[in-house]
Amino acid sequence: GAVVSQHPSRVICKSGTSVKIECRSLDFQATTMFWYRQFPKQSLMLMATSNEGSKATYEQGVEKDKFLINHASLTLSTLTVTSAHPEDSSFYICSARDRCGGWGETQYFGPGTRLLVL
Amino acid sequence: GQSLEQPSEVTAVEGAIVQINCTYQTSGFYGLSWYQQHDGGAPTFLSYNALDGLEETGRFSSFLSRSDSYGYLLLQELQMKDSASYFCAVKYYGNNRLAFGKGNQVVVIP
């Protein structure tokens, strides 16, 4: 099946620093990528929809200036957590939609990035 | 609006059958998906229902009834490796964004 990678898989940083997470579709082109956040024992919450070549669409309550998303190519989207604080510590997961997929296609999830802000 | 409700946890023995229900309050969606997530891992796709009825994929089956705003995932012949969280997710029209339910943790015991 289709493969989506994320880098880094785990990051620990100091409060106030910025962290960039990459999401790549390895064997298909993704016009749309999605960024989710998941706190322990909770569900995945969609943060934003990233469209190649255009601005991301953020879900209600997600600060676009804090979570910067760039989808510069059909295989790469990045999420930058700016001025990270301990409450931003979470599991960040991306998913990608195959541009050649039909209406019934699935989203392919990356392995996730675990962020810990000290 | 959107709301997907799932019960929280179930424990079952190996070889048993477990049904995980999902009720939703939304309209205008492509279909209902099911995902499995092991602790610390990413969600993996299990099944998808675009139309009403039952979809069978090996030991797992999924059902959708749009008129009842209800779906379920059926796990048969449970194995220890099936211990995980299971999420239903509605796929919306437009950009195919997914809205996940709260999830249901299944614990399989010997």
Side-chain angles (χ1 to χ4, degrees), chain A residues 32 34 36 38 41-44 46 49 51 59 91 93 97 102-107 109-112 114, chain B residues 2 30 35 37 39-43 45 48 50-51 87 91 94-98 100-103 105:
Chain A
T32 305
F34 303 89
Y36 297 85
Q38 185 178 34
K41 301 297 183 184
Q42 294 189 23
S43 185
L44 284 79
L46 180 65
T49 302
N51 298 298
E59 295 298 305
F91 192 44
I93 309 171
R97 176 190 173 197
W103 59 271
E105 91 292 2
T106 64
Q107 288 183 22
F109 283 84
R114 195 163 299 281
Chain B
Q2 54 172 295
Y30 278 132
Y35 289 83
Q37 186 182 31
D39 270 350
F45 172 77
Y48 175 72
L51 304 174
F87 296 92
K91 182 190 290 187
N95 60 8
N96 284 24
R97 52 192 282 272
L98 289 173
F100 282 82
K102 297 176 182 177
Q105 185 173 7

mmCIF file of all heavy atoms in Angstrom, chain A residues 32 34 36 38 41-44 46 49 51 59 91 93 97 102-107 109-112 114, chain B residues 2 30 35 37 39-43 45 48 50-51 87 91 94-98 100-103 105:
data_model
loop_
_atom_site.group_PDB
_atom_site.id
_atom_site.type_symbol
_atom_site.label_atom_id
_atom_site.label_comp_id
_atom_site.label_asym_id
_atom_site.label_seq_id
_atom_site.Cartn_x
_atom_site.Cartn_y
_atom_site.Cartn_z
ATOM 1 N N THR A 32 -3.635 16.740 -1.227
ATOM 2 C CA THR A 32 -4.148 17.136 0.076
ATOM 3 C C THR A 32 -3.501 16.308 1.171
ATOM 4 O O THR A 32 -3.415 15.085 1.055
ATOM 5 C CB THR A 32 -5.680 16.947 0.146
ATOM 6 O OG1 THR A 32 -6.292 17.656 -0.921
ATOM 7 C CG2 THR A 32 -6.218 17.462 1.476
ATOM 8 N N PHE A 34 -3.376 16.083 5.595
ATOM 9 C CA PHE A 34 -4.088 16.486 6.797
ATOM 10 C C PHE A 34 -3.160 16.355 8.005
ATOM 11 O O PHE A 34 -2.355 15.435 8.084
ATOM 12 C CB PHE A 34 -5.320 15.600 7.015
ATOM 13 C CG PHE A 34 -6.289 15.599 5.868
ATOM 14 C CD1 PHE A 34 -6.154 14.689 4.828
ATOM 15 C CD2 PHE A 34 -7.336 16.509 5.826
ATOM 16 C CE1 PHE A 34 -7.038 14.682 3.760
ATOM 17 C CE2 PHE A 34 -8.236 16.515 4.771
ATOM 18 C CZ PHE A 34 -8.089 15.596 3.737
ATOM 19 N N TYR A 36 -3.134 16.021 12.164
ATOM 20 C CA TYR A 36 -3.927 15.701 13.340
ATOM 21 C C TYR A 36 -3.054 15.816 14.583
ATOM 22 O O TYR A 36 -1.834 15.687 14.535
ATOM 23 C CB TYR A 36 -4.454 14.257 13.265
ATOM 24 C CG TYR A 36 -5.387 13.972 12.122
ATOM 25 C CD1 TYR A 36 -4.897 13.631 10.862
ATOM 26 C CD2 TYR A 36 -6.762 14.006 12.302
ATOM 27 C CE1 TYR A 36 -5.750 13.351 9.808
ATOM 28 C CE2 TYR A 36 -7.636 13.722 11.257
ATOM 29 C CZ TYR A 36 -7.118 13.393 10.024
ATOM 30 O OH TYR A 36 -7.970 13.111 8.983
ATOM 31 N N GLN A 38 -3.079 14.247 18.645
ATOM 32 C CA GLN A 38 -3.711 13.266 19.512
ATOM 33 C C GLN A 38 -3.073 13.304 20.889
ATOM 34 O O GLN A 38 -1.880 13.044 21.021
ATOM 35 C CB GLN A 38 -3.592 11.859 18.918
ATOM 36 C CG GLN A 38 -4.331 10.793 19.706
ATOM 37 C CD GLN A 38 -4.225 9.421 19.069
ATOM 38 O OE1 GLN A 38 -3.208 9.082 18.471
ATOM 39 N NE2 GLN A 38 -5.277 8.627 19.191
ATOM 40 N N LYS A 41 -4.735 8.819 25.278
ATOM 41 C CA LYS A 41 -6.037 8.207 25.530
ATOM 42 C C LYS A 41 -7.184 8.981 24.875
ATOM 43 O O LYS A 41 -8.350 8.807 25.268
ATOM 44 C CB LYS A 41 -6.293 8.097 27.049
ATOM 45 C CG LYS A 41 -5.258 7.276 27.796
ATOM 46 C CD LYS A 41 -5.241 5.850 27.360
ATOM 47 C CE LYS A 41 -4.246 5.044 28.194
ATOM 48 N NZ LYS A 41 -4.162 3.640 27.709
ATOM 49 N N GLN A 42 -6.882 9.813 23.920
ATOM 50 C CA GLN A 42 -7.931 10.566 23.243
ATOM 51 C C GLN A 42 -7.930 10.267 21.747
ATOM 52 O O GLN A 42 -7.060 9.566 21.241
ATOM 53 C CB GLN A 42 -7.754 12.066 23.503
ATOM 54 C CG GLN A 42 -7.953 12.459 24.956
ATOM 55 C CD GLN A 42 -7.993 13.952 25.142
ATOM 56 O OE1 GLN A 42 -8.281 14.714 24.213
ATOM 57 N NE2 GLN A 42 -7.715 14.405 26.353
ATOM 58 N N SER A 43 -8.903 10.811 21.073
ATOM 59 C CA SER A 43 -9.042 10.571 19.644
ATOM 60 C C SER A 43 -8.154 11.510 18.842
ATOM 61 O O SER A 43 -7.526 12.415 19.391
ATOM 62 C CB SER A 43 -10.502 10.762 19.243
ATOM 63 O OG SER A 43 -10.699 10.423 17.895
ATOM 64 N N LEU A 44 -8.102 11.276 17.565
ATOM 65 C CA LEU A 44 -7.376 12.177 16.665
ATOM 66 C C LEU A 44 -8.238 13.400 16.409
ATOM 67 O O LEU A 44 -9.407 13.274 16.044
ATOM 68 C CB LEU A 44 -7.075 11.496 15.333
ATOM 69 C CG LEU A 44 -5.960 10.478 15.305
ATOM 70 C CD1 LEU A 44 -6.406 9.134 15.861
ATOM 71 C CD2 LEU A 44 -5.442 10.297 13.880
ATOM 72 N N LEU A 46 -8.502 16.704 14.044
ATOM 73 C CA LEU A 46 -7.984 17.353 12.843
ATOM 74 C C LEU A 46 -7.607 18.796 13.162
ATOM 75 O O LEU A 46 -8.407 19.538 13.730
ATOM 76 C CB LEU A 46 -9.037 17.313 11.731
ATOM 77 C CG LEU A 46 -8.647 17.962 10.414
ATOM 78 C CD1 LEU A 46 -7.484 17.215 9.766
ATOM 79 C CD2 LEU A 46 -9.839 18.008 9.458
ATOM 80 N N THR A 49 -6.121 21.239 7.115
ATOM 81 C CA THR A 49 -6.036 20.583 5.819
ATOM 82 C C THR A 49 -5.043 21.366 4.979
ATOM 83 O O THR A 49 -5.168 22.590 4.822
ATOM 84 C CB THR A 49 -7.400 20.564 5.132
ATOM 85 O OG1 THR A 49 -8.332 19.893 5.980
ATOM 86 C CG2 THR A 49 -7.325 19.857 3.787
ATOM 87 N N ASN A 51 -3.296 21.973 1.413
ATOM 88 C CA ASN A 51 -3.456 21.796 -0.025
ATOM 89 C C ASN A 51 -2.225 22.309 -0.763
ATOM 90 O O ASN A 51 -1.756 23.416 -0.488
ATOM 91 C CB ASN A 51 -4.694 22.545 -0.519
ATOM 92 C CG ASN A 51 -5.969 22.014 0.105
ATOM 93 O OD1 ASN A 51 -6.337 20.866 -0.074
ATOM 94 N ND2 ASN A 51 -6.645 22.859 0.861
ATOM 95 N N GLU A 59 -8.846 24.152 11.323
ATOM 96 C CA GLU A 59 -10.063 23.858 12.055
ATOM 97 C C GLU A 59 -10.281 24.925 13.132
ATOM 98 O O GLU A 59 -9.346 25.610 13.558
ATOM 99 C CB GLU A 59 -9.996 22.484 12.703
ATOM 100 C CG GLU A 59 -9.923 21.352 11.702
ATOM 101 C CD GLU A 59 -11.143 21.285 10.800
ATOM 102 O OE1 GLU A 59 -12.277 21.203 11.330
ATOM 103 O OE2 GLU A 59 -10.970 21.313 9.557
ATOM 104 N N PHE A 91 1.049 13.949 20.250
ATOM 105 C CA PHE A 91 1.385 13.072 19.125
ATOM 106 C C PHE A 91 0.791 13.724 17.878
ATOM 107 O O PHE A 91 -0.423 13.910 17.802
ATOM 108 C CB PHE A 91 0.782 11.687 19.383
ATOM 109 C CG PHE A 91 1.259 10.591 18.482
ATOM 110 C CD1 PHE A 91 2.601 10.454 18.172
ATOM 111 C CD2 PHE A 91 0.376 9.674 17.953
ATOM 112 C CE1 PHE A 91 3.052 9.432 17.350
ATOM 113 C CE2 PHE A 91 0.809 8.639 17.135
ATOM 114 C CZ PHE A 91 2.148 8.513 16.830
ATOM 115 N N ILE A 93 0.155 13.617 13.885
ATOM 116 C CA ILE A 93 0.062 12.627 12.816
ATOM 117 C C ILE A 93 -0.410 13.315 11.543
ATOM 118 O O ILE A 93 -1.342 14.122 11.580
ATOM 119 C CB ILE A 93 -0.950 11.513 13.171
ATOM 120 C CG1 ILE A 93 -0.653 10.931 14.554
ATOM 121 C CG2 ILE A 93 -0.930 10.411 12.124
ATOM 122 C CD1 ILE A 93 -1.734 9.988 15.041
ATOM 123 N N ARG A 97 -3.740 12.176 0.980
ATOM 124 C CA ARG A 97 -4.739 11.654 0.041
ATOM 125 C C ARG A 97 -4.108 11.542 -1.337
ATOM 126 O O ARG A 97 -3.540 12.513 -1.842
ATOM 127 C CB ARG A 97 -5.932 12.597 0.001
ATOM 128 C CG ARG A 97 -6.997 12.218 -0.997
ATOM 129 C CD ARG A 97 -8.019 13.326 -1.136
ATOM 130 N NE ARG A 97 -8.967 13.043 -2.209
ATOM 131 C CZ ARG A 97 -9.749 13.958 -2.771
ATOM 132 N NH1 ARG A 97 -9.711 15.198 -2.363
ATOM 133 N NH2 ARG A 97 -10.575 13.625 -3.733
ATOM 134 N N GLY A 102 -9.991 7.731 -6.123
ATOM 135 C CA GLY A 102 -11.376 8.093 -6.378
ATOM 136 C C GLY A 102 -12.067 8.523 -5.110
ATOM 137 O O GLY A 102 -11.456 8.702 -4.076
ATOM 138 N N TRP A 103 -13.363 8.654 -5.155
ATOM 139 C CA TRP A 103 -14.088 9.146 -3.999
ATOM 140 C C TRP A 103 -14.068 8.142 -2.860
ATOM 141 O O TRP A 103 -14.330 8.443 -1.735
ATOM 142 C CB TRP A 103 -15.526 9.485 -4.382
ATOM 143 C CG TRP A 103 -16.287 8.321 -4.942
ATOM 144 C CD1 TRP A 103 -16.358 7.941 -6.237
ATOM 145 C CD2 TRP A 103 -17.064 7.374 -4.210
ATOM 146 N NE1 TRP A 103 -17.145 6.835 -6.355
ATOM 147 C CE2 TRP A 103 -17.600 6.448 -5.147
ATOM 148 C CE3 TRP A 103 -17.381 7.211 -2.857
ATOM 149 C CZ2 TRP A 103 -18.420 5.387 -4.780
ATOM 150 C CZ3 TRP A 103 -18.207 6.159 -2.476
ATOM 151 C CH2 TRP A 103 -18.711 5.258 -3.449
ATOM 152 N N GLY A 104 -13.771 6.914 -3.179
ATOM 153 C CA GLY A 104 -13.774 5.916 -2.125
ATOM 154 C C GLY A 104 -12.415 5.597 -1.566
ATOM 155 O O GLY A 104 -12.286 4.698 -0.756
ATOM 156 N N GLU A 105 -11.391 6.342 -1.991
ATOM 157 C CA GLU A 105 -10.038 5.985 -1.534
ATOM 158 C C GLU A 105 -9.844 6.318 -0.065
ATOM 159 O O GLU A 105 -10.571 7.094 0.528
ATOM 160 C CB GLU A 105 -8.988 6.691 -2.401
ATOM 161 C CG GLU A 105 -8.529 8.042 -1.894
ATOM 162 C CD GLU A 105 -9.599 9.110 -1.965
ATOM 163 O OE1 GLU A 105 -10.720 8.803 -2.374
ATOM 164 O OE2 GLU A 105 -9.322 10.249 -1.588
ATOM 165 N N THR A 106 -8.847 5.728 0.532
ATOM 166 C CA THR A 106 -8.553 5.978 1.928
ATOM 167 C C THR A 106 -7.488 7.041 2.048
ATOM 168 O O THR A 106 -6.837 7.412 1.092
ATOM 169 C CB THR A 106 -8.034 4.708 2.606
ATOM 170 O OG1 THR A 106 -6.788 4.342 1.999
ATOM 171 C CG2 THR A 106 -9.020 3.572 2.455
ATOM 172 N N GLN A 107 -7.336 7.517 3.258
ATOM 173 C CA GLN A 107 -6.203 8.364 3.579
ATOM 174 C C GLN A 107 -5.108 7.467 4.132
ATOM 175 O O GLN A 107 -5.384 6.473 4.802
ATOM 176 C CB GLN A 107 -6.591 9.404 4.627
ATOM 177 C CG GLN A 107 -7.500 10.483 4.108
ATOM 178 C CD GLN A 107 -7.790 11.530 5.153
ATOM 179 O OE1 GLN A 107 -7.052 11.700 6.116
ATOM 180 N NE2 GLN A 107 -8.880 12.253 4.952
ATOM 181 N N PHE A 109 -1.895 7.221 6.530
ATOM 182 C CA PHE A 109 -1.357 7.931 7.686
ATOM 183 C C PHE A 109 0.144 7.731 7.823
ATOM 184 O O PHE A 109 0.677 6.657 7.543
ATOM 185 C CB PHE A 109 -2.039 7.452 8.968
ATOM 186 C CG PHE A 109 -3.413 8.033 9.153
ATOM 187 C CD1 PHE A 109 -4.517 7.454 8.535
ATOM 188 C CD2 PHE A 109 -3.604 9.168 9.918
ATOM 189 C CE1 PHE A 109 -5.775 7.995 8.693
ATOM 190 C CE2 PHE A 109 -4.865 9.720 10.085
ATOM 191 C CZ PHE A 109 -5.954 9.127 9.466
ATOM 192 N N GLY A 110 0.799 8.779 8.274
ATOM 193 C CA GLY A 110 2.194 8.667 8.640
ATOM 194 C C GLY A 110 2.313 8.015 10.003
ATOM 195 O O GLY A 110 1.318 7.830 10.709
ATOM 196 N N PRO A 111 3.545 7.695 10.403
ATOM 197 C CA PRO A 111 3.768 6.995 11.670
ATOM 198 C C PRO A 111 3.661 7.894 12.894
ATOM 199 O O PRO A 111 3.681 7.410 14.020
ATOM 200 C CB PRO A 111 5.189 6.446 11.519
ATOM 201 C CG PRO A 111 5.835 7.385 10.568
ATOM 202 C CD PRO A 111 4.769 7.825 9.626
ATOM 203 N N GLY A 112 3.543 9.200 12.678
ATOM 204 C CA GLY A 112 3.380 10.105 13.804
ATOM 205 C C GLY A 112 4.692 10.665 14.326
ATOM 206 O O GLY A 112 5.765 10.070 14.143
ATOM 207 N N ARG A 114 6.115 12.286 17.954
ATOM 208 C CA ARG A 114 5.817 12.558 19.357
ATOM 209 C C ARG A 114 6.644 13.746 19.810
ATOM 210 O O ARG A 114 7.869 13.712 19.779
ATOM 211 C CB ARG A 114 6.128 11.332 20.217
ATOM 212 C CG ARG A 114 5.518 11.420 21.609
ATOM 213 C CD ARG A 114 5.464 10.059 22.293
ATOM 214 N NE ARG A 114 4.653 9.083 21.584
ATOM 215 C CZ ARG A 114 3.329 9.016 21.620
ATOM 216 N NH1 ARG A 114 2.645 9.896 22.332
ATOM 217 N NH2 ARG A 114 2.683 8.075 20.961
ATOM 218 N N GLN B 2 -21.362 17.779 13.808
ATOM 219 C CA GLN B 2 -20.783 16.459 13.760
ATOM 220 C C GLN B 2 -20.553 15.940 15.164
ATOM 221 O O GLN B 2 -20.143 16.648 16.050
ATOM 222 C CB GLN B 2 -19.455 16.474 12.998
ATOM 223 C CG GLN B 2 -18.465 17.490 13.527
ATOM 224 C CD GLN B 2 -17.103 17.341 12.887
ATOM 225 O OE1 GLN B 2 -16.452 16.351 13.069
ATOM 226 N NE2 GLN B 2 -16.689 18.351 12.149
ATOM 227 N N TYR B 30 -19.317 11.053 2.574
ATOM 228 C CA TYR B 30 -19.076 9.962 1.638
ATOM 229 C C TYR B 30 -19.364 8.614 2.258
ATOM 230 O O TYR B 30 -20.001 7.759 1.661
ATOM 231 C CB TYR B 30 -17.611 9.983 1.178
ATOM 232 C CG TYR B 30 -17.320 10.958 0.065
ATOM 233 C CD1 TYR B 30 -16.235 11.825 0.162
ATOM 234 C CD2 TYR B 30 -18.078 10.989 -1.096
ATOM 235 C CE1 TYR B 30 -15.941 12.706 -0.861
ATOM 236 C CE2 TYR B 30 -17.785 11.870 -2.121
ATOM 237 C CZ TYR B 30 -16.715 12.717 -2.001
ATOM 238 O OH TYR B 30 -16.424 13.589 -3.017
ATOM 239 N N TYR B 35 -10.642 2.536 11.715
ATOM 240 C CA TYR B 35 -9.194 2.495 11.855
ATOM 241 C C TYR B 35 -8.815 1.789 13.146
ATOM 242 O O TYR B 35 -9.515 1.872 14.148
ATOM 243 C CB TYR B 35 -8.598 3.918 11.865
ATOM 244 C CG TYR B 35 -8.655 4.598 10.530
ATOM 245 C CD1 TYR B 35 -9.808 5.255 10.100
ATOM 246 C CD2 TYR B 35 -7.552 4.581 9.672
ATOM 247 C CE1 TYR B 35 -9.864 5.873 8.862
ATOM 248 C CE2 TYR B 35 -7.600 5.200 8.431
ATOM 249 C CZ TYR B 35 -8.762 5.838 8.043
ATOM 250 O OH TYR B 35 -8.809 6.446 6.812
ATOM 251 N N GLN B 37 -5.644 1.408 15.937
ATOM 252 C CA GLN B 37 -4.433 2.075 16.397
ATOM 253 C C GLN B 37 -3.888 1.351 17.627
ATOM 254 O O GLN B 37 -4.550 1.288 18.661
ATOM 255 C CB GLN B 37 -4.696 3.548 16.732
ATOM 256 C CG GLN B 37 -3.433 4.323 17.077
ATOM 257 C CD GLN B 37 -3.715 5.769 17.442
ATOM 258 O OE1 GLN B 37 -4.769 6.090 17.977
ATOM 259 N NE2 GLN B 37 -2.785 6.663 17.135
ATOM 260 N N ASP B 39 -1.051 1.117 20.680
ATOM 261 C CA ASP B 39 -0.421 2.113 21.542
ATOM 262 C C ASP B 39 0.854 2.661 20.921
ATOM 263 O O ASP B 39 1.761 1.891 20.580
ATOM 264 C CB ASP B 39 -0.074 1.491 22.905
ATOM 265 C CG ASP B 39 -1.208 1.650 23.896
ATOM 266 O OD1 ASP B 39 -2.161 2.392 23.578
ATOM 267 O OD2 ASP B 39 -1.140 1.038 24.976
ATOM 268 N N GLY B 40 0.913 3.972 20.789
ATOM 269 C CA GLY B 40 2.117 4.614 20.274
ATOM 270 C C GLY B 40 2.260 4.574 18.764
ATOM 271 O O GLY B 40 3.240 5.093 18.232
ATOM 272 N N GLY B 41 1.279 3.958 18.101
ATOM 273 C CA GLY B 41 1.389 3.829 16.649
ATOM 274 C C GLY B 41 0.428 4.725 15.905
ATOM 275 O O GLY B 41 -0.360 5.453 16.505
ATOM 276 N N ALA B 42 0.511 4.671 14.601
ATOM 277 C CA ALA B 42 -0.378 5.461 13.758
ATOM 278 C C ALA B 42 -1.634 4.648 13.447
ATOM 279 O O ALA B 42 -1.629 3.427 13.535
ATOM 280 C CB ALA B 42 0.338 5.836 12.466
ATOM 281 N N PRO B 43 -2.710 5.316 13.110
ATOM 282 C CA PRO B 43 -3.921 4.589 12.718
ATOM 283 C C PRO B 43 -3.691 3.818 11.423
ATOM 284 O O PRO B 43 -3.039 4.317 10.501
ATOM 285 C CB PRO B 43 -4.952 5.696 12.500
ATOM 286 C CG PRO B 43 -4.385 6.910 13.130
ATOM 287 C CD PRO B 43 -2.907 6.764 13.065
ATOM 288 N N PHE B 45 -5.811 1.689 8.390
ATOM 289 C CA PHE B 45 -7.137 1.548 7.812
ATOM 290 C C PHE B 45 -7.612 0.102 7.900
ATOM 291 O O PHE B 45 -6.868 -0.835 7.620
ATOM 292 C CB PHE B 45 -7.089 1.999 6.352
ATOM 293 C CG PHE B 45 -8.345 1.722 5.579
ATOM 294 C CD1 PHE B 45 -9.464 2.526 5.743
ATOM 295 C CD2 PHE B 45 -8.417 0.664 4.697
ATOM 296 C CE1 PHE B 45 -10.624 2.284 5.029
ATOM 297 C CE2 PHE B 45 -9.566 0.407 3.980
ATOM 298 C CZ PHE B 45 -10.674 1.214 4.143
ATOM 299 N N TYR B 48 -14.153 0.350 5.099
ATOM 300 C CA TYR B 48 -14.859 1.545 4.668
ATOM 301 C C TYR B 48 -16.211 1.160 4.106
ATOM 302 O O TYR B 48 -16.314 0.229 3.303
ATOM 303 C CB TYR B 48 -14.035 2.275 3.605
ATOM 304 C CG TYR B 48 -14.703 3.470 2.984
ATOM 305 C CD1 TYR B 48 -14.868 4.641 3.713
ATOM 306 C CD2 TYR B 48 -15.152 3.440 1.663
ATOM 307 C CE1 TYR B 48 -15.468 5.755 3.142
ATOM 308 C CE2 TYR B 48 -15.748 4.555 1.090
ATOM 309 C CZ TYR B 48 -15.906 5.709 1.831
ATOM 310 O OH TYR B 48 -16.487 6.813 1.272
ATOM 311 N N ALA B 50 -19.242 2.889 2.050
ATOM 312 C CA ALA B 50 -19.828 4.016 1.337
ATOM 313 C C ALA B 50 -21.343 3.842 1.236
ATOM 314 O O ALA B 50 -22.103 4.813 1.279
ATOM 315 C CB ALA B 50 -19.238 4.129 -0.065
ATOM 316 N N LEU B 51 -21.757 2.611 1.126
ATOM 317 C CA LEU B 51 -23.179 2.292 0.998
ATOM 318 C C LEU B 51 -23.662 1.543 2.229
ATOM 319 O O LEU B 51 -22.874 0.958 2.972
ATOM 320 C CB LEU B 51 -23.408 1.439 -0.250
ATOM 321 C CG LEU B 51 -22.911 2.024 -1.566
ATOM 322 C CD1 LEU B 51 -23.076 1.007 -2.692
ATOM 323 C CD2 LEU B 51 -23.644 3.315 -1.898
ATOM 324 N N PHE B 87 -11.278 3.229 15.950
ATOM 325 C CA PHE B 87 -11.954 4.499 15.729
ATOM 326 C C PHE B 87 -12.831 4.414 14.493
ATOM 327 O O PHE B 87 -12.408 3.899 13.457
ATOM 328 C CB PHE B 87 -10.941 5.626 15.506
ATOM 329 C CG PHE B 87 -10.064 5.912 16.682
ATOM 330 C CD1 PHE B 87 -8.834 5.276 16.818
ATOM 331 C CD2 PHE B 87 -10.448 6.838 17.644
ATOM 332 C CE1 PHE B 87 -8.015 5.542 17.900
ATOM 333 C CE2 PHE B 87 -9.628 7.112 18.725
ATOM 334 C CZ PHE B 87 -8.420 6.455 18.850
ATOM 335 N N LYS B 91 -16.088 10.446 6.601
ATOM 336 C CA LYS B 91 -15.367 11.154 5.535
ATOM 337 C C LYS B 91 -16.333 12.134 4.870
ATOM 338 O O LYS B 91 -17.338 11.735 4.292
ATOM 339 C CB LYS B 91 -14.832 10.179 4.496
ATOM 340 C CG LYS B 91 -14.033 10.859 3.401
ATOM 341 C CD LYS B 91 -13.708 9.928 2.254
ATOM 342 C CE LYS B 91 -12.703 8.872 2.650
ATOM 343 N NZ LYS B 91 -12.283 8.082 1.461
ATOM 344 N N GLY B 94 -16.140 17.101 -0.341
ATOM 345 C CA GLY B 94 -15.231 18.222 -0.545
ATOM 346 C C GLY B 94 -13.798 17.743 -0.532
ATOM 347 O O GLY B 94 -13.351 17.107 -1.468
ATOM 348 N N ASN B 95 -13.107 18.009 0.555
ATOM 349 C CA ASN B 95 -11.703 17.630 0.589
ATOM 350 C C ASN B 95 -11.464 16.308 1.307
ATOM 351 O O ASN B 95 -10.331 15.978 1.639
ATOM 352 C CB ASN B 95 -10.869 18.726 1.250
ATOM 353 C CG ASN B 95 -11.296 18.987 2.681
ATOM 354 O OD1 ASN B 95 -12.113 18.259 3.232
ATOM 355 N ND2 ASN B 95 -10.736 20.027 3.280
ATOM 356 N N ASN B 96 -12.503 15.557 1.543
ATOM 357 C CA ASN B 96 -12.382 14.221 2.134
ATOM 358 C C ASN B 96 -11.829 14.240 3.552
ATOM 359 O O ASN B 96 -11.243 13.253 3.999
ATOM 360 C CB ASN B 96 -11.504 13.324 1.266
ATOM 361 C CG ASN B 96 -12.218 12.823 0.028
ATOM 362 O OD1 ASN B 96 -13.165 13.446 -0.428
ATOM 363 N ND2 ASN B 96 -11.767 11.739 -0.532
ATOM 364 N N ARG B 97 -12.006 15.312 4.261
ATOM 365 C CA ARG B 97 -11.502 15.346 5.631
ATOM 366 C C ARG B 97 -12.242 14.330 6.483
ATOM 367 O O ARG B 97 -13.412 14.038 6.273
ATOM 368 C CB ARG B 97 -11.634 16.752 6.223
ATOM 369 C CG ARG B 97 -13.002 17.351 6.106
ATOM 370 C CD ARG B 97 -12.968 18.834 6.442
ATOM 371 N NE ARG B 97 -12.911 19.069 7.872
ATOM 372 C CZ ARG B 97 -13.993 19.168 8.636
ATOM 373 N NH1 ARG B 97 -15.183 19.055 8.105
ATOM 374 N NH2 ARG B 97 -13.879 19.385 9.926
ATOM 375 N N LEU B 98 -11.512 13.780 7.444
ATOM 376 C CA LEU B 98 -12.068 12.775 8.328
ATOM 377 C C LEU B 98 -12.351 13.370 9.699
ATOM 378 O O LEU B 98 -11.539 14.111 10.235
ATOM 379 C CB LEU B 98 -11.078 11.619 8.501
ATOM 380 C CG LEU B 98 -10.853 10.683 7.322
ATOM 381 C CD1 LEU B 98 -9.719 9.710 7.642
ATOM 382 C CD2 LEU B 98 -12.120 9.921 6.970
ATOM 383 N N PHE B 100 -13.010 11.912 13.403
ATOM 384 C CA PHE B 100 -12.893 10.668 14.144
ATOM 385 C C PHE B 100 -13.812 10.622 15.352
ATOM 386 O O PHE B 100 -14.045 11.632 16.017
ATOM 387 C CB PHE B 100 -11.448 10.475 14.622
ATOM 388 C CG PHE B 100 -10.517 9.994 13.547
ATOM 389 C CD1 PHE B 100 -9.964 10.884 12.650
ATOM 390 C CD2 PHE B 100 -10.212 8.652 13.422
ATOM 391 C CE1 PHE B 100 -9.114 10.453 11.645
ATOM 392 C CE2 PHE B 100 -9.364 8.201 12.429
ATOM 393 C CZ PHE B 100 -8.826 9.100 11.539
ATOM 394 N N GLY B 101 -14.296 9.427 15.642
ATOM 395 C CA GLY B 101 -15.010 9.200 16.884
ATOM 396 C C GLY B 101 -14.039 9.141 18.044
ATOM 397 O O GLY B 101 -12.823 9.214 17.867
ATOM 398 N N LYS B 102 -14.579 8.999 19.231
ATOM 399 C CA LYS B 102 -13.753 9.038 20.429
ATOM 400 C C LYS B 102 -12.915 7.795 20.619
ATOM 401 O O LYS B 102 -11.966 7.776 21.406
ATOM 402 C CB LYS B 102 -14.648 9.259 21.655
ATOM 403 C CG LYS B 102 -15.366 10.595 21.621
ATOM 404 C CD LYS B 102 -16.328 10.764 22.792
ATOM 405 C CE LYS B 102 -17.053 12.101 22.673
ATOM 406 N NZ LYS B 102 -18.053 12.281 23.757
ATOM 407 N N GLY B 103 -13.267 6.738 19.926
ATOM 408 C CA GLY B 103 -12.464 5.537 19.988
ATOM 409 C C GLY B 103 -12.945 4.545 21.019
ATOM 410 O O GLY B 103 -13.614 4.895 21.988
ATOM 411 N N GLN B 105 -11.366 1.142 23.112
ATOM 412 C CA GLN B 105 -10.211 0.289 23.375
ATOM 413 C C GLN B 105 -10.661 -1.148 23.585
ATOM 414 O O GLN B 105 -11.548 -1.422 24.406
ATOM 415 C CB GLN B 105 -9.442 0.771 24.607
ATOM 416 C CG GLN B 105 -8.171 -0.010 24.849
ATOM 417 C CD GLN B 105 -7.322 0.569 25.957
ATOM 418 O OE1 GLN B 105 -7.738 1.498 26.640
ATOM 419 N NE2 GLN B 105 -6.139 0.030 26.152
#
